Amino acid sequence: MLPEPARHGHAEAPVVIHQSTPLQHIQAAPLVPVQSSHVPTVQTIVLPDGRVVTGYAIEPAKPEPVVAKPLVSRTAVNIALGGIGFGAVCGGLVLLTTFIAALAALIHQLIILAAVVFGGFIAVQVLGSSRGGTTVNIRKAVFKRNKFHG
């Protein structure tokens, strides 16, 4: 709003209108009636300054019983069992690699043995032996019409 011109030489302050904001209704929690096995006793206490206070005696809240926890947590047991299983698998893998290495060495030695045995057999066949064989001395041999004349 704009201020109106002053009638007596003074400018009027602008008028500010405040609108109220309605409060939201908050529902209160329903009261649950507590069934007591007995009516609490009324106590009266005299304070040091002479005032008298009267009211119901309230028993202190009892803590809930503590649930006994197991000595070892289930997570720790699972981790330990996993470690034992992993150790067993690793031992098996070490045995497996050892077995593969031994098998490879055996195959290697069998190949060498076969080469030595068959190589010796072939060498004997090629070079021949002097036992029981026929020795032919060829000197000044004449070949005529593919026939040998010695």
Side-chain angles (χ1 to χ4, degrees), residues 11-142:
E12 291 184 18
V15 178
V16 179
I17 300 174
H18 294 281
Q19 294 186 358
S20 61
T21 304
L23 296 176
Q24 296 179 350
H25 178 67
I26 299 174
Q27 292 183 352
L31 294 175
V32 179
V34 177
Q35 295 293 335
S36 174
S37 61
H38 67 283
V39 177
T41 58
V42 177
Q43 289 186 345
T44 302
I45 298 174
V46 179
L47 297 176
D49 61 354
R51 293 182 294 168
V52 177
V53 178
T54 304
Y56 292 108
I58 300 175
E59 293 180 16
K62 296 178 183 176
E64 294 183 20
V66 177
V67 178
K69 293 183 180 179
L71 295 177
V72 180
S73 70
R74 294 188 61 75
T75 305
V77 170
N78 289 339
I79 290 172
L81 289 176
I84 291 169
F86 183 73
V89 168
C90 286
L93 289 177
V94 167
L95 288 176
L96 181 65
T97 54
T98 304
F99 174 75
I100 291 172
L103 187 62
L106 176 69
I107 291 172
H108 182 95
Q109 295 213 352
L110 286 177
I111 291 172
I112 292 174
L113 178 65
V116 169
V117 169
F118 289 118
F121 178 73
I122 293 171
V124 167
Q125 293 297 321
V126 169
L127 298 176
S129 73
S130 58
R131 295 185 226 158
T134 305
T135 303
V136 178
N137 293 324
I138 302 176
R139 295 183 194 179
K140 297 183 182 177
V142 178

